Amino acid sequence: MTRELRKSVFAPMKPKVIAWYQSISFKGLTLLVALLLMVVLSIMYVMETVGFRLSIQSAEQRVAAESEAVGQSIVQLGAKIEIAALSLSNAVETIESPDVLDGFFQNLLTSPAIGKFIAGGGIWPDAYNGDRKLLNSLFYTKNSTGSVERIDSYNNHLSAPYYAAEWFAPARWLTAGDAYWSQSYTDPYTAEPMVTCTVPYFSEGEFAGVVTLDIRVKALNTYLVEQGQQQGVYFSLLDRSGRFLAYPEPDRVMDTTTEAPSYILSHEYSENEPSFMPIAVAINDIMAKRRHQYQTDKKVDLLAKKIVEHSLSISISYAISVATELLYPDENMSRSQPLFSLNVDTDPILNQAAFISAIRIPRMQWMLIQGVPQHDMYAQAIQLERQLLLFMLPVVVVFIAVTFIFFYRRIFKPLKSVREALAEQRNDEEFTPLPVYHRDELGALVHRFNQRSESLITAKQQALKAAEAKQQFLANMSHEIRTPMNGIIGAAGLMQSESLSRQQREYVSIISHSAKSLMTLINDILDFSKIESSKVELESVPFNLHEIAKYAHALLRPTIENPALVDYRLHYDDAIPLTLLGDPTRIQQILINLLGNANKFTEQGFIHLDVALVQRDKHTVVVEIKVSDSGIGIPNEKIEHIFDKFSQADETTTRRFGGSGLGLTITRQLIELMDGGIHVISKEGLGSEFVVTLPFSMAKSRENPSVSHLMAAESASCEPPFIGQRCLLVEDNNVNRLIASQLLSRLGFSIDTACDGVEAVEKAQRELFDVIYMDMQMPRLDGVGATKAIREMDGINVDTAIIAMTANVMAADVALCREAGMQGHIGKPISESDLYTVTIQAIEDNSAITMQS
């Protein structure tokens, strides 16, 4: 930041510098006065433009609401008729005699609620299924006196049988509880237009026939005329094929050239009535759009062809509409749906300019059309506009908008800039202060923010540098400590396999135990540091939880001081899937930490490890791991502190039992990283119980679990597994080279050695090896450089597995090994089981790197 910019941005600001005319309050008052003047001048303009349009929209919404109300009443009427038909179909499936139906139809056709709409009804068995309770069709109708009669003439042989009629054929594909509404037709018995509500009935789960109720179209027309007269509009009704069901002047849409008059299609009416043409075009567009939407659907096409095959009068285009309704019914059958609206210059009924709107009634698939005189709508719109102006709605809207803009520009936007500056600031960038545009209260706030932000950024950068220095220090110390510890632990392990006196063996055991305790402390400190800096990355590989539990349990057994006094058990639930996905190394670390903690505080009694399945679904399982002991226990007031870093339940026990105080801290943090949980149940003097719940994904059947430490140890303790294979050991430290050579010899390898990377590359050019073990830090050429050279020279060892054998165990070190082309990583001190495990996996799968440390 330049000195001039720093002066301009961070120049001292005192409250006295802000004059009264510079304050936000005075600016707000001035703007408010100007805003009111603007509203007064604009009110007349708003009356003639925005207000009128809003009023028209409101009037159109009112018209739509009126159509919706009438449409809803028709939906409710259809629902009542369907319920009656469904009740009749249920009765037909159970009756034993047709005579029982006489009383049912008597009540139905004379019902006060729907009787005036129903002309008759019947029961029509499927002609292809003669083995039914009702072998003949039954038809009931009301005569001129209103009495119900049963007609049997339909049972006579007909040239056009009823089971091929339009109201019957589609019912074959209805399910129980569904209804089908036919198109308009002239009833042959009453010679008046009808529509039929058809409901199927079944016998032993198979289609057996239909139940029908015939609806008088004349009654629907009368009902809609009454509704239109009440509202000062008119309504017309069409079926799914575009045939009229109701019209204010029925004679104009009737075909009287035949013996029985019937309603015509909408496009036929437009040929004789040109003023109806715009409405007919809109109707045909809606019908065509719905039909074209599904006519390429294979299921719709197949069903439509079947419907045509079973009928004598259904065309393929009409069958497509019916099939679409059957296969893709409306989601909401109780609400009508808007279709279109338009203005016409001359309406055929009103004989003047009109507003036409249409809605679809989903239950019957009818179209309800409403016509409203435009001058009525405009009169209502003008009245509504005046009401809006009286209440000064535009003034309020403009006032709110302008006030918002003012506060946004003067207050909200500067505050937003502050927030965005905080979000966009990068740790590695110099802080860029916000400019102070206005010398008011907010300007002073931004100025103070700039000062504080620069201080915070500086402090944060210093903290990051300190954290990086700490990480580097821990990495260096880990490397320097692990190198000599490798020699100590390795030599002690080799000496234990030799013939020693009892006292010598005891001394070697003390050395080995002490060295391993020191390594445990070093590993705890490194793990805690990596978790604190969020650098722990969990694996997700197939593993066998049972093997890991057995290994951890067996590993801790030799550390029990008095095995005769401690009942040390493992119980594993066989219901847990064999192979899970997770991080086996970290799960093993959790088990060892909990068992080690129990062993530390239990001198006699029991230590139990229980692993059980608590939940399972198709892809995941939840496992409960319980470690219980009869040790010294934990006081209630201390339980919440046992997971704190560098602490124990009782600080006085630290000297007696030892420990860094990091084991349980690391355990809890690892469990939380795995989306699990841990809780403790304990009573002082009676022991403790640590309960861990961990979720796991189940591995696919073809995924094999990784080789466990226990299996490796068992395999390594038998016959040497690598007899006849050659390896190259690259190590500059004489002690580590000696220890590693002894371990590799015990595994059966024939060993060649190199003291640095240059010598390793030279030998790799001349001789073929089965595996190469590479140290990372060496003189002349380090292990990473040597690995890259071997991979790039395209020699005889270009595909040979290369395994890092190093004291560099940080995550960044493992990443370097992977990038260089290595297939494995073994951290020092080296154990024979780790050496075997990593070697096996590196040779079998050289596409992934395996780490053991």
Side-chain angles (χ1 to χ4, degrees):
M1 188 189 316
T2 64
R3 180 175 299 177
E4 290 74 17
L5 178 58
R6 195 180 290 270
K7 286 182 178 181
S8 63
V9 174
F10 297 104
M13 295 184 64
K14 299 180 180 180
K16 293 182 180 180
V17 177
I18 303 175
W20 63 270
Y21 55 86
Q22 293 177 321
S23 66
I24 295 178
S25 301
F26 176 79
K27 295 174 182 178
L29 180 61
T30 304
L31 180 63
L32 180 60
V33 173
L35 181 62
L36 292 176
L37 292 175
M38 182 191 69
V39 169
V40 172
L41 295 175
S42 61
I43 188 171
M44 295 305 298
Y45 175 78
V46 173
M47 288 178 60
E48 298 299 326
T49 55
V50 178
F52 186 80
R53 289 197 299 269
L54 290 175
S55 299
I56 291 296
Q57 291 176 3
S58 178
E60 292 178 355
Q61 291 174 358
R62 184 187 64 80
V63 171
E66 293 173 353
S67 295
E68 173 66 23
V70 175
Q72 191 64 24
S73 65
I74 297 176
V75 169
Q76 293 173 358
L77 173 63
K80 292 178 182 178
I81 294 173
E82 287 182 10
I83 291 173
L86 290 172
S87 301
L88 181 58
S89 69
N90 292 333
V92 170
E93 293 177 358
T94 57
I95 64 172
E96 298 180 358
S97 171
D99 296 332
V100 180
L101 299 173
D102 292 348
F104 191 101
F105 275 97
Q106 176 69 34
N107 295 332
L108 179 61
L109 297 181
T110 59
S111 168
I114 59 176
K116 65 180 180 180
F117 293 95
I118 301 178
I123 301 170
W124 314 91
D126 186 7
Y128 300 106
N129 295 293
D131 187 15
R132 295 288 180 261
K133 295 178 181 178
L134 298 176
L135 299 180
N136 295 323
S137 61
L138 301 176
F139 180 72
Y140 296 83
T141 185
K142 287 186 290 189
N143 57 25
S144 58
T145 63
S147 300
V148 177
E149 296 180 352
R150 186 167 76 181
I151 308 300
D152 295 324
S153 59
Y154 286 92
N155 295 320
N156 298 332
H157 177 73
L158 301 175
S159 59
Y162 65 78
Y163 49 80
E166 182 268 339
W167 50 264
F168 188 103
R172 297 180 182 277
W173 291 273
L174 294 176
T175 58
D178 290 340
Y180 171 76
W181 289 79
S182 73
Q183 63 181 346
S184 172
Y185 67 95
T186 301
D187 185 76
Y189 182 79
T190 62
E192 68 173 307
M194 298 282 184
V195 292
T196 296
C197 175
T198 304
V199 173
Y201 65 88
F202 302 86
S203 176
E204 298 178 356
E206 295 183 1
F207 176 79
V210 301
V211 171
T212 62
L213 292 178
D214 298 335
I215 313 303
R216 282 194 174 94
V217 173
K218 184 177 180 181
L220 289 174
N221 192 85
T222 302
Y223 172 77
L224 292 178
V225 169
E226 293 174 354
Q227 293 294 318
Q229 291 174 349
Q230 293 175 6
Q231 301 177 19
V233 300
Y234 77 88
F235 293 97
S236 59
L237 192 65
L238 292 83
D239 64 17
R240 68 169 61 80
S241 64
R243 189 181 302 276
F244 283 95
L245 298 177
Y247 199 69
E249 299 176 6
D251 295 339
R252 298 173 64 177
V253 294
M254 295 287 290
D255 182 7
T256 57
T257 60
T258 58
E259 295 181 0
S262 61
Y263 284 97
I264 63 175
L265 297 170
S266 60
H267 68 85
E268 295 174 347
Y269 178 49
S270 64
E271 294 174 359
N272 300 323
E273 184 60 64
S275 60
F276 191 77
M277 180 64 71
I279 304 175
V281 170
I283 293 172
N284 291 338
D285 288 344
I286 290 295
M287 295 173 57
K289 181 178 180 181
R290 182 171 175 82
R291 185 168 58 251
H292 292 164
Q293 183 179 0
Y294 292 99
Q295 68 179 1
T296 57
D297 190 305
K298 294 183 178 179
K299 294 191 295 184
V300 171
D301 182 69
L302 179 61
L303 180 56
K305 291 178 179 178
K306 291 181 179 179
I307 293 173
V308 172
E309 291 175 0
H310 284 78
S311 172
L312 299 177
S313 60
I314 297 179
S315 65
I316 187 63
S317 61
Y318 182 82
I320 289 175
S321 299
V322 174
T324 300
E325 296 168 13
L326 295 177
L327 294 174
Y328 304 103
D330 294 301
E331 295 181 359
N332 189 347
M333 299 296 289
S334 62
R335 302 292 299 179
S336 57
Q337 304 165 6
L339 293 179
F340 66 85
S341 61
L342 72 158
N343 291 288
V344 295
D345 295 332
T346 303
D347 183 85
I349 297 297
L350 300 174
N351 293 318
Q352 59 178 302
F355 174 77
I356 308 297
S357 64
I359 61 175
R360 184 161 64 93
I361 301 175
R363 187 175 295 278
M364 301 90 153
Q365 302 301 324
W366 293 344
M367 185 182 300
L368 179 66
I369 299 176
Q370 179 181 8
V372 184
Q374 283 189 2
H375 69 81
D376 290 345
M377 288 189 61
Y378 290 152
Q380 296 169 1
I382 293 172
Q383 182 181 1
L384 182 60
E385 175 193 5
R386 290 174 180 174
Q387 292 176 353
L388 293 176
L389 294 175
L390 286 175
F391 290 98
M392 297 295 292
L393 181 60
V395 175
V396 174
V397 173
V398 174
F399 177 81
I400 293 174
V402 176
T403 303
F404 173 78
I405 293 173
F406 168 75
F407 282 103
Y408 176 78
R409 291 183 178 275
R410 303 295 300 190
I411 298 176
F412 302 147
K413 188 175 181 179
L415 290 177
K416 182 181 178 182
S417 299
V418 174
R419 184 190 64 193
E420 292 176 348
L422 285 174
E424 295 176 358
Q425 191 64 44
R426 300 292 185 267
N427 294 335
D428 56 350
E429 296 178 357
E430 183 180 358
F431 174 71
T432 303
L434 296 175
V436 180
Y437 295 110
H438 308 288
R439 301 183 68 83
D440 53 17
E441 294 89 344
L442 187 57
L445 178 63
V446 174
H447 165 74
R448 187 64 177 169
F449 164 78
N450 288 336
Q451 290 180 322
R452 182 60 59 89
S453 297
E454 186 175 57
S455 301
L456 291 176
I457 292 296
T458 302
K460 184 176 182 179
Q461 291 174 347
Q462 293 174 350
L464 289 175
K465 291 180 180 179
E468 292 176 359
K470 182 188 75 171
Q471 288 294 320
Q472 187 61 41
F473 170 76
L474 289 173
N476 293 338
M477 291 303 298
S478 172
H479 180 272
E480 295 303 322
I481 294 174
R482 286 174 181 273
T483 298
M485 289 301 298
N486 183 55
I488 296 172
I489 294 177
L494 294 174
M495 290 178 65
Q496 287 176 331
S497 63
E498 301 293 335
S499 299
L500 302 174
S501 64
R502 184 184 62 81
Q503 189 172 22
Q504 288 174 333
R505 188 171 297 279
E506 182 177 353
Y507 290 159
V508 172
S509 178
I510 292 173
I511 293 172
S512 178
H513 178 73
S514 299
K516 290 179 179 178
S517 297
L518 180 57
M519 285 306 305
T520 299
L521 176 60
I522 294 171
N523 289 332
D524 283 348
I525 293 174
L526 285 176
D527 282 340
F528 177 74
S529 175
K530 286 188 285 187
I531 294 174
E532 286 287 292
S533 59
S534 301
K535 293 187 176 180
V536 172
E537 295 183 1
L538 298 178
E539 288 185 311
S540 181
V541 298
F543 71 96
N544 188 315
L545 182 59
H546 194 187
E547 293 181 0
I548 292 177
K550 288 193 298 183
Y551 172 72
H553 188 263
L555 186 66
L556 268 294
R557 184 183 295 277
T559 64
I560 300 175
E561 293 186 3
N562 300 307
L565 301 178
V566 178
D567 180 18
Y568 188 58
R569 295 184 184 178
L570 164 64
H571 178 266
Y572 189 85
D573 189 350
D574 293 334
I576 300 174
L578 179 64
T579 308
L580 303 175
L581 288 179
D583 191 328
T585 302
R586 295 302 181 182
I587 296 169
Q588 174 184 296
Q589 184 177 358
I590 292 170
L591 292 173
I592 292 175
N593 283 351
L594 293 177
L595 288 172
N597 183 73
N599 182 33
K600 184 190 301 184
F601 299 105
T602 305
E603 296 180 353
Q604 60 181 1
F606 67 87
I607 299 175
H608 292 168
L609 170 61
D610 296 294
V611 184
L613 178 69
V614 296
Q615 184 178 340
R616 177 173 182 171
D617 58 25
K618 186 176 181 180
H619 301 291
T620 61
V621 298
V622 178
V623 175
E624 181 182 83
I625 300 172
K626 186 186 301 180
V627 177
S628 53
D629 63 71
S630 60
I632 63 175
I634 307 170
N636 289 334
E637 65 275 10
K638 298 292 185 179
I639 289 179
E640 62 182 24
H641 299 295
I642 63 174
F643 293 106
D644 295 343
K645 55 187 177 183
F646 306 113
S647 67
Q648 294 181 346
D650 186 350
E651 296 298 334
T652 61
T653 64
T654 303
R655 294 182 179 178
R656 178 183 175 191
F657 295 102
S660 64
L662 289 175
L664 290 180
T665 303
I666 295 171
T667 298
R668 182 182 66 176
Q669 292 174 334
L670 289 175
I671 291 171
E672 291 175 350
L673 285 174
M674 297 178 186
D675 297 326
I678 182 172
H679 68 274
V680 184
I681 304 171
S682 183
K683 190 171 183 181
E684 189 174 9
L686 297 179
S688 304
E689 184 176 82
F690 288 76
V691 182
V692 177
T693 55
L694 290 174
F696 296 106
S697 298
M698 288 187 289
K700 298 179 181 178
S701 58
R702 64 175 179 269
E703 294 179 322
N704 297 319
S706 58
V707 180
S708 70
H709 296 285
L710 187 60
M711 291 177 62
E714 291 175 352
S715 299
S717 61
C718 301
E719 181 180 349
F722 299 109
I723 293 177
Q725 298 190 35
R726 297 185 70 238
C727 71
L728 175 63
L729 174 62
V730 187
E731 173 64 65
D732 63 316
N733 185 281
N734 294 331
V735 175
N736 289 336
R737 190 163 59 247
L738 174 62
I739 298 298
S741 297
Q742 291 293 330
L743 291 175
L744 292 170
S745 296
R746 292 173 60 173
L747 291 178
F749 276 113
S750 175
I751 306 166
D752 195 355
T753 61
C755 295
D756 55 41
V758 174
E759 186 178 353
V761 173
E762 293 175 353
K763 290 192 175 184
Q765 290 177 330
R766 298 191 306 266
E767 303 178 50
L768 177 63
F769 299 99
D770 296 290
V771 63
I772 299 174
Y773 298 95
M774 185 78 68
D775 190 15
M776 288 188 69
Q777 293 189 6
M778 295 180 294
R780 294 206 295 172
L781 182 62
D782 61 15
V784 172
T787 300
K788 290 181 179 179
I790 293 173
R791 295 300 186 212
E792 293 173 358
M793 66 184 181
D794 198 21
I796 56 177
N797 288 291
V798 67
D799 295 324
T800 300
I802 301 178
I803 301 174
M805 186 182 291
T806 175
N808 298 58
V809 297
M810 305 298 283
D813 300 321
V814 180
L816 283 176
C817 295
R818 180 185 294 109
E819 293 172 1
M822 297 186 189
Q823 282 72 47
H825 182 285
I826 303 173
K828 297 176 181 177
I830 305 168
S831 69
E832 190 171 356
S833 63
D834 289 345
L835 185 60
Y836 172 80
T837 300
V838 177
T839 302
I840 285 293
Q841 293 187 350
I843 293 175
E844 291 180 353
D845 182 9
N846 61 8
S847 63
I849 187 166
T850 304
M851 176 180 177
Q852 299 290 349
S853 59

